[in-house]
């Protein structure tokens, strides 16, 4: 079967169309990166030669918090100002069952016909480089395409999702009265990444209480930040995900967020995404946070941390690819498994043999 | 400051004490592995020279499902049979806030005074090798120490937790009527890893309905397994976590589980951990599953998959360590960041330079 000419388009030609603002080029670039097709690294290298330009906003929170509706409301507000918006929605699909449950996406349908908005749903869990890295690369593509705003939505339940959210400049954590108390939010790590808190479905019973609980928890955290930092604190998010902590690492995200919290007072807003109540305040809070990011220098700190994390991601991924795409390694692994079963080796001795063949 | 003699104990001496059945040696070995102290790989290599012997049971489910209480009830049942039990509880602590919330552990306090039971709570998220790998290594230590049973408890919310649970021979998924419907369970991937389902707090409203929903979902899944397998299916859990899929890989966990499901009919039990109702049935189901694992050959398949995953984990971790523990790499990274900021490089070109220095 001969592949259509479009599929054979070179990276250089694609980048040119991308820079020319063709949405089909963006969509195709995303597909190439998502499936790690040949040349995807060259594509990213070319696209990232231009620095970041979009305002990146992350929305996260438990399932059912109304994130998609709120995202649609915020996106509409930007569109009303004449600004273009790219949206990346990460589906909390099981690593086992694969397919996307598209229910949440349906609410965004009214946006989908607007040419000033681009929506991409990421459902793949089988990504060779890991969902977090791939999603961050897709965010970069959308960023460099020229949208004024890039919105990313994740379900804040796992480390992967938190890591993706941390790739935004401004993180909105959305909670609802039913989604559990502030303690649960703290457990899930949401408390530490929020730049703006939103209690959505604010007309429901318990909303005022939740606002109060979040404020109290934020207050407690600030108190803690001024006192001793426990041993577990100050762990760099990217480093955790990566499995390494650089000796020269910047102050960790947690530490920085704590420090920044003194200058940026995290607002706790109440919204009703469906009626639109509170959305204007949320949009304003995001704008104010952006101003603060730029004025305080925090934006550059976050971008530098992201660049460092990306280099590490790419190195780690290429190391894994080098290891496991080689027929030699795979053969050593299979032979090793038999020796482990017979008691002649352990996973560690087999790993050491494989490493000897890989590293300088 | 001179370190106490105990800290300087050699790996060989520790392994000897470990093999002699000294609980302090097990505790110390776990600490060394958890903190990846010098020689931890040698320690694991020595301990894993003996094959697996314990029956590994994983308990997972959403927060508040009563996993700890159920685990305590099952552990007590084993103790009543005179069998020794090792317990590893993985705390769903935020990667940001670090510290462990010990509430759930308290219920296990009555077990803690029994010398026939060993309990270890894993709270660290800052582990250099990643929580999943470290926890699996701790499970191996507990396994090789000589307990008849090793129980591991995780909150089934993220990929890390699912991966840890999959390191058990028998996986019990615990749900409660309030924990959401069967669809939610499927989304979280719990449906695919369960060998035994338990509806705990079975006297609450909605319990019978939940049992019915789970049975229906299992039935649907079985039907699906007999038909076409969608493209996303058959993704090996370890490979996903690793970011690689070996061409010679065994049938994936999902595929195997589906095949095995035809032979092993997944029971859906009702328990009340606090009153003890249904616990005997659960213990019996786990025993029966063990018999099936051994008779069907599935135990060896699972162990082989685990050995393969471990080799990959260790290789990947050592590659990361080789990359990021070198002063040269870190210097290249920091110089690269400056060049990225000035527009003279991208994360990709910096990564390529670093890789050139690392790989053969």
């Amino acid at each position: 079967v001969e592949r259509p000419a479009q599929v054979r388009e070179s990276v250089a030609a694609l980048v040119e169309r991308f820079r020319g603002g063709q949405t089909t080029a963006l969509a195709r670039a995303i597909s190439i990166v998502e499936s790690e097709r040949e040349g995807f690294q060259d594509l990213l290298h070319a696209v990232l030669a231009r620095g970041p330009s979009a305002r990146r906003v992350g929305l996260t929170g438990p399932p059912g918090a109304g994130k998609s509706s709120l995202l649609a409301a915020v996106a509409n507000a930007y569109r009303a100002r004449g600004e273009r918006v790219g949206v990346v929605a990460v589906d909390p699909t099981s690593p086992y069952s694969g397919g996307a449950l598209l229910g949440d996406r349906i609410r965004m349908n009214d946006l989908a016909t607007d040419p000033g908005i681009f929506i991409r749903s990421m459902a793949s869990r089988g990504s060779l480089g890991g969902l977090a890295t791939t999603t961050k690369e897709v965010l970069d593509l959308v960023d460099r395409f020229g949208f004024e705003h890039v919105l990313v939505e994740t379900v804040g339940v796992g480390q992967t999702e938190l890591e993706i959210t941390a790739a935004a400049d401004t993180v909105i954590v959305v909670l609802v009265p039913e989604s559990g108390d502030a303690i649960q939010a703290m457990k899930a790590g949401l408390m530490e990444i929020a730049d703006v808190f939103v209690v959505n479905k604010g007309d429901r019973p318990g909303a005022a209480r939740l606002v109060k609980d979040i404020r109290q928890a934020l207050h407690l955290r600030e108190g803690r930040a001024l006192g001793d930092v426990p041993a577990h604190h100050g762990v760099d998010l990217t480093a955790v995900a990566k499995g390494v902590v650089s000796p020269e690492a910047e102050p960790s995200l947690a530490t920085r967020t704590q420090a920044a919290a003194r200058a940026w007072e995290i607002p706790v807003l109440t919204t009703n995404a469906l009626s639109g109540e509170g959305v204007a305040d949320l949009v304003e809070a995001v704008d104010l946070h952006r101003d603060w990011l730029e004025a305080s220098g925090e934006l550059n700190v976050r971008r530098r941390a992201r660049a460092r994390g990306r280099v590490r991601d790419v190195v780690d991924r290429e190391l894994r690819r080098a290891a496991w795409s080689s027929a030699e390694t795979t053969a050593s692994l299979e032979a090793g498994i038999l020796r482990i079963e017979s008691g002649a080796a352990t996973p560690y001795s087999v790993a050491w043999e494989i490493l000897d063949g890989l590293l300088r």
Side-chain angles (χ1 to χ4, degrees), chain A:
Chain A
V1 182
E2 189 160 340
R3 295 150 87 205
Q6 200 199 345
V7 176
R8 289 195 309 260
E9 182 182 29
S10 73
V11 166
L14 178 60
V15 169
E16 196 167 313
R17 287 206 300 126
F18 183 98
R19 289 188 177 150
Q22 293 187 30
T23 309
T24 56
L26 172 59
R28 195 162 126 64
I30 291 174
S31 297
I32 288 172
V33 167
E34 269 193 310
S35 53
E36 305 197 3
R37 273 210 288 284
E38 213 192 310
F40 79 96
Q41 302 103 325
D42 297 318
L43 172 61
L44 285 159
H45 173 63
V47 167
L48 267 68
R50 298 191 177 171
S53 60
R55 301 176 167 210
R56 293 162 170 246
V57 176
L59 271 105
T60 193
K67 291 180 296 297
S68 296
S69 305
L70 208 56
L71 187 148
V74 170
N76 278 326
Y78 291 144
R79 292 298 299 132
R81 305 199 310 213
E83 294 157 357
R84 296 201 311 150
V85 183
V87 175
V88 177
V90 181
D91 210 273
T93 308
S94 147
Y96 301 87
S97 61
L101 293 166
L102 291 168
D104 285 347
R105 298 289 91 76
I106 289 166
R107 268 163 282 166
M108 282 197 262
N109 265 0
D110 50 334
L111 294 174
T113 51
D114 175 352
I117 195 155
F118 175 89
I119 302 178
R120 184 77 177 211
S121 194
M122 305 269 299
S124 165
R125 282 273 185 173
S127 152
L128 292 178
L131 180 65
T133 303
T134 303
T135 307
K136 287 184 276 182
E137 288 174 327
V138 168
L139 283 178
D140 278 346
L141 292 175
V142 180
D143 182 332
R144 300 312 193 279
F145 189 72
F147 299 108
E148 276 90 348
H149 305 272
V150 174
L151 307 180
V152 58
E153 177 200 343
T154 65
V155 171
V157 287
Q159 201 167 328
T160 303
E161 286 72 22
L162 290 174
E163 203 194 328
I164 292 166
T165 311
D169 302 319
T170 300
V171 174
I172 303 170
V173 171
V174 186
L175 297 174
V176 278
E178 312 89 271
S179 69
D181 58 9
I183 301 290
Q184 286 298 107
M186 280 210 290
K187 277 175 106 167
L190 296 176
M191 205 51 101
E192 281 83 354
I193 58 166
D195 296 307
V196 176
F197 263 106
V198 170
V199 173
N200 193 28
K201 304 182 187 175
D203 51 342
R204 296 211 183 161
R209 175 61 199 255
L210 179 57
V211 169
K212 202 183 142 204
D213 283 351
I214 296 167
R215 289 208 171 113
Q216 199 159 21
L218 287 170
H219 191 71
L220 276 173
R221 193 166 62 90
E222 210 176 337
R224 243 196 296 140
L226 298 170
D228 283 344
V229 176
H232 284 99
H233 259 83
V235 173
D236 184 312
L237 176 64
T238 310
V240 169
K242 231 86 304 329
V244 282
V245 179
S246 152
E248 276 91 349
E250 304 255 325
S252 77
L253 186 68
T255 311
R256 281 193 296 108
T257 308
Q258 284 166 4
R262 280 168 231 165
W264 169 252
E265 195 161 336
I266 298 167
V268 185
L269 308 173
T270 305
T271 58
N272 188 323
L274 297 179
S275 74
E277 217 173 314
V279 171
D281 288 344
L282 172 59
V283 170
E284 193 194 349
V286 173
D287 286 342
L288 286 172
H289 186 251
R290 181 71 186 192
D291 294 344
W292 174 80
L293 281 175
E294 291 179 1
S296 66
E298 175 70 11
L299 183 61
N300 288 332
V301 174
R302 291 190 184 193
R303 282 182 172 165
R304 178 178 284 209
R306 284 212 295 265
R308 184 179 284 113
R310 178 63 49 80
V311 175
R312 287 180 179 277
D313 282 347
V314 174
V315 168
D316 291 347
R317 177 174 61 197
E318 294 304 315
L319 287 172
R320 287 196 304 270
R321 290 168 70 93
W324 304 115
S325 65
S326 123
E328 204 183 327
T329 320
T330 327
S332 304
L333 173 61
E334 294 311 311
I337 297 301
L338 298 178
R339 285 166 47 232
I340 291 169
E341 282 179 358
S342 75
T346 73
Y348 297 84
S349 61
V350 173
W352 292 329
E353 287 161 20
I354 291 175
L355 286 160
D356 273 345
L358 287 170
L359 292 169
R360 267 184 199 276

